[in-house]
Amino acid sequence: MGFRRVWRATIFELRSLRLYWFPITTMTIIVPFSYLLIVLLSTGFNAENLSIVLPGFVSVSVFLTLVLPMAQRISNMFEDDVVELIASLPLGMGELIWAYIGAYTLLSAPAIIGSTTIIALSIGKVDGVYLAVGLSMLWCLAIETGILLGLSIRNKLKLDPLLSLLLLATIMLTPAFYSTNSLENPFRAAILANPLTHIVLLIRASIGIYEGVDPTTSLTYLGVAQATLATVLLPKIRNISLNIVEKR
C-alpha cells in the first residue's frame, strides 16, 4: 500500500465533499455539540452526573459520526457509474478504503477532540491510558462496523432505514446517560453484550468510575468482538478487490 496514494485519495475525498459542507458540518459539529449542551444543562454541571454522561456522550456521538457516513460511502461504491470510476483509478481496494477511513476520521475529529477536552476540563483527574485505549477501541469498532454495513448492504433504500434503526438501537442499548449499576438482569446482561457498552465503561474507568466490570474483562470482550468483525470483513474486501481487478 502506497502512503502517498492513500493520502492523495483522502484529500481528494475531502475535496469532493465540499458540495455537502452544510450537512457534514451539521452532522459532525452542530448536532453533537448541541446535544452535548443539552446534556450539560440537564445535569446542572454536577460533577457526579457529568462523570456518568460525558463518557457516554463521547462514545455514542463519535461512534455514530464515524459509522453512518462510512457505511453510506462504502455502499455507494457499488453503484454502476462509481464502480467503473473506481476500476479506472490507480488504487487498490485496500488503499481506497484506507482513504475513506482517513477522510471520515478527520471529519470526526471535532467530536473526539472537543468531547475529550470537556471531560478533562470538567472532571480534572483523567487516566490517560484508559482514555486512549477506550478511544482507540471506539475508533476501531466504529470503522469496522461502518465498512461491514457498507459492504453487506449495497442498496441505499435498504441501508438508510437500517442506519436509522442502528441510531435508535445504539442510543437505547448503550448506557450512555445512566449507570449500569442501576440495571437488573436480564436487561443488564443484554446491555453488557453490546461492545459499545464496554467502551463507555473503559472511558468511565479513566475518570475513576467503575461499574462492576473489570476493565480487563471489557478489553478482552472488545478484542474478541473486533477480531470477529475483522475475520468477517477481510474475505469481503478480497472478493470486492477481485471484482474490481476483473473490470480493469
Side-chain angles (χ1 to χ4, degrees), residues 22-32 64-65 68-69 72 107:
F22 184 72
I24 289 173
T25 302
T26 301
M27 179 185 65
T28 60
I29 298 177
I30 297 175
V31 170
L64 295 175
T65 300
L68 302 187
Q72 291 172 331
L107 289 176

Side-chain angles (χ1 to χ4, degrees), residues 21-97:
W21 68 267
F22 184 72
I24 289 173
T25 302
T26 301
M27 179 185 65
T28 60
I29 298 177
I30 297 175
V31 170
F33 286 100
S34 296
Y35 195 62
L36 177 59
L37 179 61
I38 294 172
V39 169
L40 294 175
L41 292 173
S42 67
T43 62
F45 293 90
N46 178 276
E48 183 178 351
N49 292 335
L50 286 175
S51 65
I52 294 295
V53 301
L54 283 179
F57 170 80
V58 171
S59 303
V60 170
S61 62
V62 172
F63 181 77
L64 295 175
T65 300
L66 276 170
V67 170
L68 302 187
M70 192 73 189
Q72 291 172 331
R73 189 66 182 90
I74 296 294
S75 178
N76 183 58
M77 290 168 51
F78 299 101
E79 295 184 5
D80 291 340
D81 53 344
V82 178
V83 169
E84 294 298 332
L85 173 62
I86 291 172
S88 66
L89 294 175
L91 290 170
M93 179 57 62
E95 292 173 322
L96 190 61
I97 289 178

Side-chain angles (χ1 to χ4, degrees), residues 19-224:
L19 294 174
Y20 309 100
W21 68 267
F22 184 72
I24 289 173
T25 302
T26 301
M27 179 185 65
T28 60
I29 298 177
I30 297 175
V31 170
F33 286 100
S34 296
Y35 195 62
L36 177 59
L37 179 61
I38 294 172
V39 169
L40 294 175
L41 292 173
S42 67
T43 62
F45 293 90
N46 178 276
E48 183 178 351
N49 292 335
L50 286 175
S51 65
I52 294 295
V53 301
L54 283 179
F57 170 80
V58 171
S59 303
V60 170
S61 62
V62 172
F63 181 77
L64 295 175
T65 300
L66 276 170
V67 170
L68 302 187
M70 192 73 189
Q72 291 172 331
R73 189 66 182 90
I74 296 294
S75 178
N76 183 58
M77 290 168 51
F78 299 101
E79 295 184 5
D80 291 340
D81 53 344
V82 178
V83 169
E84 294 298 332
L85 173 62
I86 291 172
S88 66
L89 294 175
L91 290 170
M93 179 57 62
E95 292 173 322
L96 190 61
I97 289 178
W98 273 112
Y100 292 155
I101 291 172
Y104 292 104
T105 296
L106 290 173
L107 289 176
S108 70
I112 297 173
I113 297 172
S115 300
T116 51
T117 300
I118 291 172
I119 287 180
L121 294 176
S122 302
I123 309 301
K125 185 178 180 181
V126 177
D127 186 323
V129 174
Y130 276 149
L131 181 59
V133 171
L135 290 174
S136 298
M137 289 287 190
L138 174 60
W139 180 83
C140 290
L141 180 66
I143 290 297
E144 289 179 333
T145 302
I147 294 174
L148 182 60
L149 286 172
L151 292 179
S152 302
I153 304 170
R154 305 178 184 182
N155 187 321
K156 179 178 174 61
L157 296 178
K158 294 180 180 178
L159 180 63
D160 287 349
L162 181 62
L163 292 178
S164 298
L165 289 175
L166 176 65
L167 172 63
L168 180 62
T170 299
I171 293 173
M172 292 182 61
L173 298 178
T174 303
F177 307 115
Y178 55 87
S179 171
T180 57
N181 290 332
S182 62
L183 304 176
E184 296 183 359
N185 284 325
F187 190 59
R188 176 181 168 83
I191 292 295
L192 290 176
N194 176 9
L196 196 55
T197 295
H198 293 272
I199 290 172
V200 173
L201 297 181
L202 278 176
I203 297 178
R204 284 179 181 161
S206 74
I207 56 175
I209 304 296
Y210 299 91
E211 300 184 37
V213 179
D214 186 79
T216 303
T217 302
S218 292
L219 284 170
T220 302
Y221 186 82
L222 286 168
V224 171

